[in-house]
Structure formats: C-alpha cells, structure tokens
C-alpha cells in the first residue's frame, strides 16, 4: 500500500477483528477460559504484533473492547473498561520497548501484558468483585493469578508467534519493515 495512513488503519482493523474473533470463539468453545481470574486468552499472543507495528496499539485495544462486550452479559461490565485499559497500556509499552532485547528476545516487552493486566485487572477484581474492604494481600493474589495467565500465554504462544514472524520474515512482508 502506498498510503501509510490507510495501511495503518487496515492493520489496526484486521488486528482488532482477529483479537475479538479469537477471544469470542475461545470463550464460546471453552467457557470461563477468557474471563476467569486465571485466564488463558490465546488471542493475547497477538500482543506481540505491537513489536512490529504501531497499528497494533489501537487494534488490540479495540479488539479487547469488542471481545469484552460479551462479558457484560456475564456480569463483568467493568472488564470492558479496565481490561481494555490494561491492553492499551501494555501494547504502548511493548511498542516502546520493542528494540530492548536480551540477545534476540524482547523479554521486557513480553512481560508488559502480565504486568499491566496483573495490576489493573487484579485491582478490578479486588475492588469490585471481592466482598468487603480492599485488602492489599488479596489484591496481590488476584493480580498474581491474572499475571500468571498472561505470562503463560505470552511465553508460550506469544514467543512461538514472535519467532514464526521473525524466522519467516513476515514482519517485512506484512508490515513493510
């Protein structure tokens, strides 16, 4: 594509659609795996696209909003807001840290979804879904559970997707880099 703006909008739209479709399909086939405290959203592996294109930032965020619309019916309307904010923060940080690598692995960037979701979604769970006053120890447990799920997805699926993209030079083919 010659027009960079059109290309970025197209990339963002495709990423949003992929994220939403994968999350909704997984939630339908395996109920609870995309909305529980320890969740394993396979679509979270798409976070690595923020290492290759800034279009992933709005794409992942919009995809998360669309996917979390279904959680409103499950009594989780706040997840559409807080989960999407966590995705926005983590994708921005991943993009900013994309060149910080240990050997060839972007370790710091890969940790961002676990950190952001652990803090924001962990706080959301503790503040809104646990009866009684806010307890920091309980927040650490909730946040740790969320972060653990994110970390497993990023280390296993995210790393696999990252190396497939790099080794097959798809970053250059898909994102003109």
């Amino acid at each position: 594509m010659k027009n960079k703006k059109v290309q970025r909008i197209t990339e963002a739209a495709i990423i949003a659609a992929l994220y939403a479709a994968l999350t909704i399909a997984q939630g339908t086939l395996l109920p609870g795996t995309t909305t529980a405290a320890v969740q394993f959203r396979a679509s979270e592996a798409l976070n690595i696209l923020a290492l290759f294109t800034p279009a992933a930032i709005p794409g992942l965020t919009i995809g998360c909003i669309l996917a979390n619309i279904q959680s409103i019916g499950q009594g989780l309307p706040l997840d559409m807001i807080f989960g999407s904010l966590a995705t926005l923060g983590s994708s921005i940080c991943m993009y900013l840290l994309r060149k910080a690598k240990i050997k060839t692995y972007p370790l710091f960037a890969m940790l961002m979804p676990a950190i952001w979701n652990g803090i924001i979604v962990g706080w959301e769970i503790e503040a809104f879904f646990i009866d009684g006053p806010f307890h920091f120890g309980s927040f650490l447990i909730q946040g740790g559970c969320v972060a653990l799920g994110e970390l497993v997805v990023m280390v296993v699926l995210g790393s696999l997707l990252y190396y497939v993209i790099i080794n097959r030079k798809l970053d250059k083919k898909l994102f003109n880099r």
Side-chain angles (χ1 to χ4, degrees):
M1 264 186 216
K2 297 208 182 226
N3 187 330
K4 285 273 190 201
K5 188 173 184 179
V6 172
Q7 180 179 350
R8 294 278 191 255
I9 291 169
T10 304
E11 288 173 1
I14 291 169
I15 292 168
L18 282 170
Y19 185 98
L22 286 170
T23 304
I24 292 167
Q26 180 184 343
T28 302
L29 296 172
L30 303 167
T33 60
T34 62
T35 56
V38 180
Q39 53 185 258
F40 296 95
R41 283 188 180 187
S43 56
E44 285 292 302
L46 295 175
N47 279 312
I48 66 103
L49 296 177
L51 300 173
F52 304 106
T53 178
I57 297 167
L60 292 165
T61 305
I62 292 166
C64 187
I65 291 168
L66 293 172
N68 285 343
I69 285 174
Q70 80 173 15
S71 65
I72 291 173
Q74 299 170 1
L76 302 170
L78 296 173
D79 202 40
M80 189 174 75
I81 298 166
F82 295 111
S84 302
L85 285 174
T87 298
L88 175 63
S90 68
S91 60
I92 289 170
C93 287
M94 286 186 78
Y95 182 75
L96 294 174
L97 292 168
R98 70 191 180 280
K99 294 181 182 176
K101 297 180 182 176
I102 296 177
K103 295 192 179 189
T104 62
Y105 189 72
L107 176 66
F108 303 112
M110 297 294 266
L111 295 174
M112 291 299 110
I115 292 169
W116 279 85
N117 281 282
I119 292 170
I120 293 177
V121 177
W123 172 82
E124 173 195 353
I125 293 169
E126 179 60 27
F128 297 107
F129 299 106
I130 305 295
D131 290 331
F134 186 92
H135 292 288
F136 188 71
S138 180
F139 158 72
L140 291 176
I141 292 169
Q142 301 302 331
C145 288
V146 172
L148 177 64
E150 283 287 332
L151 191 60
V152 169
V153 169
M154 290 306 294
V155 167
V156 177
L157 298 178
S159 295
L160 178 65
L161 185 56
Y162 174 75
Y163 283 117
V164 166
I165 289 171
I166 294 295
N167 290 337
R168 296 187 183 261
K169 297 182 180 16
L170 294 175
D171 54 329
K172 291 169 183 37
K173 293 176 186 174
L174 296 174
F175 307 112
N176 294 327
R177 311 254 183 304

